[in-house]
């Protein structure tokens, strides 16, 4: 009646092994959700398809971001996500484009529409690289002298 079963030891060893495995899985899970790249891409697409002068901002909860052509990438401790945009956009990577993104008229920053076009093309063809993410993503649709671009920064 009070005899020890031989199987008891192996059951306790198995339960212990499963507990350790479950603990290992739990500690490897991300502590936060990945950034919401779909919402950011939707904001950019709404501005890009809107009339010139359209502007929108969205909070970003990411530590790094990348933007090249039609690809938006966001990275945080929760993971990395990529979204494809409807239209090609221009990252505002230089001070002149950043000034236009912030609301300056292109005519006050660039000498001519051709200079604006060249700066946009250079920024558009830069290799995709991860940069520190801003707290807020801004998208602005700008048209000047035949140049029609959506700046994002």
């Amino acid at each position: 009646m009070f005899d020890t079963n031989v199987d008891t030891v192996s059951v306790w060893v198995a339960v212990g092994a499963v507990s350790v495995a479950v603990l290992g899985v739990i500690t490897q899970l991300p502590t936060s959700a990945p950034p919401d790249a779909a919402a950011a891409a939707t904001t950019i697409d709404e501005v890009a398809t809107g009339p010139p002068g359209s502007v929108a901002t969205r909070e970003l909860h990411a530590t790094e971001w990348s933007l090249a052509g039609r690809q938006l990438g966001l990275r945080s401790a929760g993971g990395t996500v990529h979204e494809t945009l409807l239209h090609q956009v221009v990252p505002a990577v230089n001070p002149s484009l950043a000034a236009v993104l912030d609301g300056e008229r292109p005519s006050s920053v660039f000498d001519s529409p051709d200079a604006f076009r060249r700066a946009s093309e250079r920024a558009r063809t830069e290799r995709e690289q991860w940069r520190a993410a801003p707290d807020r993503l801004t998208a602005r649709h700008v048209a000047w002298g035949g140049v029609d671009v959506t700046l994002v920064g």
Side-chain angles (χ1 to χ4, degrees):
M1 179 160 148
F2 294 108
D3 293 341
T4 304
N5 260 339
V6 176
D7 296 338
T8 306
V9 173
S10 60
V11 168
W12 282 110
V13 169
V15 168
V18 169
S19 298
V20 168
V22 168
L23 179 65
V25 169
I26 289 173
T27 59
Q28 295 302 315
L29 292 175
T31 57
S32 63
D36 192 0
T42 299
T43 299
I44 294 169
D45 287 337
E46 288 173 353
V47 172
T49 57
S54 299
V55 64
T57 60
R58 173 170 284 284
E59 294 277 331
L60 278 187
H61 301 286
T63 54
E64 294 181 308
W65 75 303
S66 67
L67 182 66
R70 293 180 51 215
Q71 290 294 317
L72 170 68
L74 297 177
R75 184 185 289 170
S76 74
T80 302
V81 288
H82 292 276
E83 285 292 326
T84 301
L85 304 170
L86 294 175
H87 297 283
Q88 193 169 27
V89 297
V90 177
V93 293
N94 67 44
S96 301
L97 291 174
V100 174
L101 177 65
D102 289 338
E104 292 287 327
R105 292 186 174 277
S107 59
S108 66
V109 178
F110 294 96
D111 295 332
S112 66
D114 193 48
F116 180 48
R117 180 188 54 76
R118 284 193 310 271
S120 298
E121 286 175 356
R122 272 194 308 273
R124 187 179 281 154
T125 58
E126 276 191 12
R127 252 180 48 124
E128 177 182 16
Q129 59 182 350
W130 290 97
R131 294 185 272 281
D135 294 333
R136 244 181 22 189
L137 175 124
T138 302
R140 182 178 300 273
H141 189 164
V142 180
W144 179 49
V147 181
D148 190 347
V149 297
T150 301
L151 297 173
V152 179

